[in-house]
Amino acid sequence: MKTKKSSKQRRTRRSKRSKLLQLPTQTHETRRVIEEGVSPLVEKYWFQRYDLFSRYDEGIKLDEQGWYSVTPEQIAIRQAKRCENATVVIDCFAGVGGNAIQFASMCYHVVAIEIDPLKVNMAINNARIYGVEDYIDFIVGDFFQLAPSLKGDIVFLSPPWGGPSYRRVKKFTLDLLEPKDGYAIFQAAQAITPNIIMFLPRNVDLLQVEELCWLSSPPLEFEIEENYVQGNLKGVTVYFGGAAASQCGPS
Ligand code: MGP
Ligand code: SAH
């Protein structure tokens, strides 16, 4: 005789079945984590790999710092679109190329500076996958040493935030940026152009960001944008000077 199941029993059955249905994909993903030698620190970012590089499976290369620092592709596209009048964009902390690739995809000429030669090799490989390597001049070097000789319409700054532990502080102050504090980084950029874009932690002290405008006379215009991926806040982009007004073409 058939008995009527309680709603609790039905719930248990359904959840067991849905777990079984998920099993093959989970196993496949877990196998890939092992095959690719993904470290525990990187694992969380690896699961977001297609948000970071939609063409990941075509041979994209990242090292540990690259994994946790690369700008997610949709954010990098948005930042690049804001440079619509620019001819030359300088990416001062280029990493494995997440931003440089998207600037180049908009047909800007990109000067990509990165201090770590291994990352530059990865960035060249990644740019090739996106077919934009011809639009990027990769320079292995220290941004602060190179800054006095650089010329460009927009300077893009996504410096190191001190690793994934940046989240532990309630308010991320600009002195926590690396390799120098936010004011020093901004001033080096300002000597090139007032059209500056900065990608900063979501917990950044916005009052300090505002203070950066006052390093110029008259103070620079600025605009702050929160950047989400799949509904999660990933960071904050600040547009200064002509980048705020989208007027950064060659003068
Ligand atoms: P996250 O907060 O470490 O990851 O980095 P997530 O997935 O948001 O973690 P959650 O568990 O808090 O949800 C978010 C994004 O910030 C990364 O995808 C990078 O684009 C950027 N980012 C993180 N770090 C540590 C750096 C950094 O040091 N430098 C730069 N330029 N970007 C970073
Ligand atoms: N926007 C990049 C990620 C940048 S992470 C992307 O989307 O891929 C910050 C990078 O700054 C790191 O790769 C680090 O090696 C580099 N860096 C640190 N100090 C530097 C310096 N003085 N000059 C140039 N690059 C530097």
Side-chain angles (χ1 to χ4, degrees):
M1 193 180 119
K2 273 192 179 169
T3 54
K4 220 176 169 190
K5 287 186 192 98
S6 71
S7 66
K8 195 173 171 198
Q9 275 174 313
R10 271 203 300 271
R11 262 206 307 276
T12 317
R13 270 274 170 83
R14 219 176 281 142
S15 81
K16 265 190 193 150
R17 195 177 46 202
S18 66
K19 267 186 196 143
L20 278 175
L21 284 173
Q22 279 170 18
L23 205 58
T25 31
Q26 282 171 350
T27 311
H28 174 69
E29 288 282 276
T30 312
R31 213 182 303 130
R32 274 193 71 177
V33 166
I34 296 163
E35 277 167 11
E36 292 192 27
V38 177
S39 72
L41 177 70
V42 165
E43 202 172 305
K44 161 176 116 172
Y45 304 96
W46 185 86
F47 279 104
Q48 304 174 41
R49 61 197 179 282
Y50 302 114
D51 288 336
L52 304 180
F53 285 107
S54 57
R55 300 177 77 164
Y56 177 80
D57 284 345
E58 293 173 48
I60 291 292
K61 295 211 171 11
L62 306 96
D63 62 0
E64 191 169 88
Q65 187 183 17
W67 271 109
Y68 65 68
S69 307
V70 63
T71 305
E73 190 164 287
Q74 285 307 316
I75 299 176
I77 290 173
R78 188 170 169 77
Q79 292 162 337
K81 280 186 180 160
R82 288 293 299 264
C83 305
E84 58 185 6
N85 300 317
T87 305
V88 178
V89 177
I90 306 173
D91 184 353
C92 307
F93 302 92
V96 296
N99 286 104
I101 288 169
Q102 296 310 328
F103 287 127
S105 300
M106 300 280 162
C107 295
Y108 311 129
H109 187 79
V110 184
V111 177
I113 301 161
E114 168 56 50
I115 204 159
D116 175 359
L118 296 176
K119 285 193 186 60
V120 171
N121 281 339
M122 292 178 195
I124 293 170
N125 168 80
N126 299 341
R128 215 168 266 149
I129 288 168
Y130 280 77
V132 295
E133 74 274 26
D134 291 344
Y135 295 90
I136 310 176
D137 283 335
F138 290 98
I139 303 177
V140 180
D142 178 346
F143 164 60
F144 297 97
Q145 282 185 9
L146 292 165
S149 60
L150 295 170
K151 292 202 180 347
D153 306 308
I154 297 220
V155 166
F156 179 78
L157 303 168
S158 64
W161 304 347
S165 62
Y166 80 88
R167 279 178 260 121
R168 287 203 209 119
V169 292
K170 197 156 178 255
K171 255 202 187 129
F172 185 97
T173 47
L174 293 181
D175 58 300
L176 297 173
L177 286 176
E178 293 175 357
K180 294 189 182 182
D181 68 73
Y183 300 96
I185 295 174
F186 192 81
Q187 271 174 327
Q190 242 188 332
I192 304 168
T193 171
N195 308 325
I196 299 168
I197 304 177
M198 267 181 124
F199 187 48
L200 293 168
R202 57 192 177 221
N203 54 347
V204 71
D205 184 339
L206 290 176
L207 280 178
Q208 285 193 341
V209 169
E210 211 174 319
E211 275 169 20
L212 292 175
C213 307
W214 297 88
L215 296 174
S216 252
S217 176
L220 291 176
E221 266 188 65
F222 77 104
E223 187 186 323
I224 295 172
E225 175 184 272
E226 289 186 323
N227 301 116
Y228 291 82
V229 176
Q230 318 255 19
N232 299 312
L233 183 57
K234 293 289 169 183
V236 167
T237 308
V238 191
Y239 301 89
F240 294 94
S246 285
Q247 291 168 354
C248 343
S251 47

